[in-house]
Each structure stands twice: as C-alpha cells, then as structure tokens.
Amino acid sequence: DIRNPIEYLVQLLETEDFKANNIDTAWLDGLLKEKAIQSATQIDDDTLAACAALFRSHERSKRAKRDFQEAIAQGQFSTSAASLFDDEFEIDIVIHDIRYNFAVSRTARDSFSMRLT
C-alpha cells in the first residue's frame, strides 16, 4: 500500500541499488513483494523537491541519450542533435502550492549539480 508516492520515490532513490544503477523492473517488483520500502516516513518538502528535481533531471538525460541514439540509427545526425545534451537546464517542482525552481548542471555522465533560483 503506497499512500504517498513522493515519499516512496524518495526512499527508492536512497537505496544502494538505485545509487549504483542496478535497477530494473524485476528489482522494483522484488521491493514491492518484500515490502522493503515503507512509506510512513515524513519527509520535508525541501527534500522532496530536491529528490523530484534530481529524478526528473536523470530521466531527461536518459531521454536525450535515447533520442540521440535513435537519430543516429536513422542517419539523421546533425549538429543540432548535440543540443539534446544541454549541460544546463531548469526544472520546476511544485509541492503544496510552492514552486521550487532548480538550475541544474550536468557535471558528468551520471552526476548533477542543482541550485535553487
């Protein structure tokens, strides 16, 4: 029973397997079956916003990589395709009617730097 999906996602992000990128749907199915993640923990809104921004940043990077690879496979490479890998971008997160605007910089393949703007 997942009552607050944001709290649950934060706890998923904090697992060692997630940090090491050792995850797939079977991993998540196993966690759900074992009830390894409990959602009763209260997490402050600032932490939730930061975790959500990090998650969206990671997903954006994965999508950019996939789109780039698809363009290459179709022979559609151009210099504009490189813009898919912008090193700096903004992510907006709204929690309890409060908007958090993050300036995100991709510092390495799997690292991000974030600051509130």
Side-chain angles (χ1 to χ4, degrees):
D1 182 27
I2 302 171
R3 295 177 189 216
N4 186 333
I6 295 173
E7 291 175 7
Y8 192 83
L9 287 173
V10 169
Q11 290 184 33
L12 287 176
L13 292 171
E14 292 174 344
T15 64
E16 291 304 316
D17 283 333
F18 188 89
K19 291 175 186 176
N21 200 24
N22 296 326
I23 59 173
D24 57 19
T25 55
W27 168 79
L28 184 56
D29 290 341
L31 288 178
L32 291 171
K33 184 178 179 180
E34 296 170 10
K35 297 185 180 187
I37 304 291
Q38 301 299 318
S39 61
T41 313
Q42 287 289 41
I43 299 172
D44 67 275
D45 291 349
D46 294 342
T47 302
L48 288 175
C51 289
L54 178 59
F55 178 79
R56 286 189 183 169
S57 298
H58 179 70
E59 288 298 307
R60 181 184 188 278
S61 293
K62 286 188 345 186
R63 187 175 53 252
K65 180 180 178 181
R66 184 189 66 239
D67 292 349
F68 180 77
Q69 289 171 331
E70 288 174 3
I72 293 291
Q74 296 172 0
Q76 298 176 351
F77 179 74
S78 70
T79 55
S80 65
S83 68
L84 294 170
F85 295 103
D86 288 341
D87 289 333
E88 295 183 11
F89 50 92
E90 291 189 4
I91 299 281
D92 286 329
I93 304 295
V94 177
I95 298 177
H96 298 125
D97 297 326
I98 298 173
R99 178 177 300 278
Y100 296 82
N101 183 274
F102 291 90
V104 181
S105 299
R106 187 172 179 181
T107 56
R109 184 182 64 84
D110 59 354
S111 297
F112 297 92
S113 172
M114 300 187 312
R115 65 180 170 80
L116 283 169
T117 59

